[in-house]
Amino acid sequence: MLILVANLGSTSFKYKLLDVSGDLHAADIRPDDRVLARGAVERIGDASESRCEVTIGDYHNVYEMPVPDHGIAVQSCLDQLTDAQHGCLKDASEVSAIGFKSVHGGRKSGTFLVDDDVLEAMAEMNAAAPAHNPPYIAAMKLLRERFPDLPLVAAFETEFHDSIPEARRVYATPPNWREEYQVQKWGFHGSSHRFIAERTAELLGRDDLRVISCHLGGSSSLTAIQNGKSVMTTMGMTPQTGLPQNNRVGDFDPFALPLLIERSGKSLEVLLGELASEGGLKGLSDRSGDLRDIEAAAAEGDAKSALALDVYVEEIRRHMGGMIVAMGGVDVIAFTGGIGENSDVVRRAICANLQSLGIVLDESRNEGHRTEGPLHVESSQTQIWVVPTNEEWIVAKRTKQAIGN
């Protein structure tokens, strides 16, 4: 059974084709063993030609072609997969469904076959996820028209956090805001955190773990996982909240906005755009939102970059402390994402001076570590791991369940 997993941006389309046949829970089956093909299309809708990339087995190709919309991008993907010389499919009908790593469905938090109600629910949350929902909605509508017999499945990132206790989900807002406008802490990166929950249980042979999943990358969040379920997370109503991120502000006092409007003369829309694109690590460092650039500049003595790194680490540690209290301790700290998997500097700073909490990093293991494996000393009460995430695998499994297979 083959599932095409789609990850969309406003002008991009990334995909993986996965085989989800048979037992999906066996610990000896790793997700990468099931990837038959992967690819990407960039600059969709650009007046010039779009960059397309495909990898099928040992075959890899990069080329350019006009891609006016996401429907053409998916058609190009299917053409690649069924290519007579290099493809892995005889016919596009071999694809059982397309699963979308959807972001925000508000009242539709779960995994659903795409229908008019799902599209309407996503549209209701456009203002909360303006960079994600509109392109997904547009692509889904196009694909429903062009491939009416191909099931489309929306796997919403909020679903994994439905298990968070109500006291950690609500804001102290006027009473009707939650019911009428869906104003609450939803949480995101659900596919990644769900994968970490499943993989740490496999690695340690236990399903009763208390895990802090640190998804650190261009977009970052922490989730406290207890007995395999999310019980606390850092992102709230939108993916803009929680930790400072690449170019997103993270947590921010909304009552600063009227002052900024008055003092700057800028509109609310302009200021929100600046917070969403010029804030975060980019704003703090005043040079780049890429942590690799920030680490390099900080090492050379750049004060703003050092501050950006310090703020990022301090916010992670602050939220981590709250999660340890919420769970009554922690058995595993799992680092994932581009930063979590590759930055020994950030991992070292996050775990510094936590011996009194039973968290002790092994400096020699941590240095240069880039693959799945432990980073703690043998005497550490809390295990520290790098666990590369695989969001597409989770979406593929959820898609399979949604279409009844």
Side-chain angles (χ1 to χ4, degrees):
M1 182 178 183
L2 306 180
I3 301 293
L4 185 67
V5 177
N7 189 348
L8 278 65
S10 58
T11 61
S12 66
F13 167 65
K14 298 178 181 178
Y15 71 87
K16 282 185 180 179
L17 181 68
L18 294 100
D19 179 358
V20 293
S21 305
D23 182 5
L24 303 185
H25 301 286
D28 59 342
I29 296 177
R30 302 303 307 128
D32 285 343
D33 297 337
R34 301 295 195 96
V35 177
L36 304 183
R38 68 186 74 210
V41 182
E42 300 173 358
R43 298 171 64 184
I44 295 172
D46 198 301
S48 61
E49 293 193 332
S50 301
R51 182 182 185 274
C52 304
E53 183 175 1
V54 59
T55 300
I56 302 175
D58 295 332
Y59 172 72
H60 180 76
N61 188 31
V62 178
Y63 60 96
E64 293 186 347
M65 63 174 281
V67 183
D69 57 51
H70 286 81
I72 296 296
V74 174
Q75 183 64 65
S76 171
C77 157
L78 294 174
D79 290 343
Q80 294 165 353
L81 297 176
T82 57
D83 179 78
Q85 184 175 1
H86 300 290
C88 56
L89 304 178
K90 292 181 179 179
D91 189 87
S93 63
E94 294 179 53
V95 176
S96 299
I98 299 179
F100 293 89
K101 193 171 77 71
S102 307
V103 176
H104 210 333
R107 57 184 173 83
K108 302 289 285 189
S109 182
T111 303
F112 306 93
L113 286 167
V114 175
D115 58 16
D116 291 341
D117 188 45
V118 168
L119 293 171
E120 182 180 339
M122 292 176 68
E124 291 169 2
M125 306 309 293
N126 276 352
H132 301 91
N133 277 22
Y136 271 91
I137 293 169
M140 288 171 176
K141 288 181 176 179
L142 280 168
L143 293 171
R144 288 177 79 196
E145 293 175 2
R146 293 188 182 174
F147 309 103
D149 297 326
L150 181 60
L152 308 181
V153 175
F156 288 106
E157 292 287 80
T158 55
E159 181 184 8
F160 184 59
H161 303 296
D162 288 347
S163 55
I164 293 177
E166 188 174 22
R168 298 177 192 148
R169 291 180 65 84
V170 298
Y171 291 110
T173 58
N176 63 318
W177 284 19
R178 185 185 186 196
E179 183 175 343
E180 292 187 28
Y181 311 120
Q182 290 102 45
V183 175
Q184 67 175 52
K185 301 171 187 176
W186 289 97
F188 301 93
H189 292 145
S191 296
S192 178
H193 293 305
R194 188 189 297 271
F195 181 85
I196 298 305
E198 293 184 4
R199 184 58 182 152
T200 51
E202 287 181 354
L203 289 168
L204 276 70
R206 291 173 53 187
D207 57 10
D208 62 343
L209 293 169
R210 297 167 298 179
V211 180
I212 296 179
S213 173
C214 303
H215 178 105
L216 309 179
S219 178
S220 298
S221 70
L222 269 59
T223 291
I225 301 166
Q226 193 162 14
N227 303 326
K229 295 183 178 181
S230 173
V231 296
M232 180 181 282
T233 194
T234 55
M235 283 183 170
M237 173 70 181
T238 77
Q240 303 285 349
T241 52
L243 304 175
Q245 301 172 55
N246 183 323
N247 54 3
R248 305 179 198 169
V249 65
D251 286 339
F252 180 79
D253 189 338
F255 284 89
L257 288 169
L259 180 145
L260 288 164
I261 292 170
E262 177 184 318
R263 298 284 297 275
S264 70
K266 297 177 180 179
S267 68
L268 175 62
E269 182 179 8
V270 169
L271 290 171
L272 290 175
E274 290 181 0
L275 286 175
S277 61
E278 300 297 324
L281 299 179
K282 183 178 181 180
L284 285 166
S285 69
D286 198 21
R287 67 165 58 220
S288 172
D290 191 312
L291 195 84
R292 292 169 295 187
D293 298 335
I294 293 171
E295 282 187 8
E300 293 175 358
D302 182 76
K304 290 183 178 180
S305 294
L307 176 62
L309 192 58
D310 288 345
V311 170
Y312 184 62
V313 168
E314 287 302 317
E315 283 297 283
I316 292 169
R317 284 164 62 93
R318 177 172 71 87
H319 284 285
M320 185 180 290
M323 291 177 175
I324 292 172
V325 170
M327 294 190 293
V330 58
D331 300 307
V332 182
I333 296 172
F335 290 104
T336 195
I339 295 171
E341 295 170 29
N342 296 295
S343 177
D344 42 285
V345 172
V346 168
R347 297 191 301 249
R348 182 187 309 112
I350 290 171
C351 297
N353 302 317
L354 298 182
Q355 293 89 339
S356 62
L357 299 178
I359 301 169
V360 187
L361 185 76
D362 186 319
E363 293 283 355
S364 60
R365 279 181 166 181
N366 179 59
E367 186 175 357
H369 193 103
R370 302 290 182 265
T371 58
E372 183 177 273
L375 303 178
H376 51 278
V377 301
E378 293 303 320
S379 60
S380 180
Q381 296 175 28
T382 297
Q383 296 197 26
I384 307 168
W385 281 75
V386 169
V387 183
T389 193
N390 196 318
E391 298 167 283
E392 293 86 359
W393 180 244
I394 295 297
V395 173
K397 292 203 298 182
R398 292 164 70 195
T399 299
K400 179 181 180 180
Q401 294 167 355
I403 62 176
N405 287 279

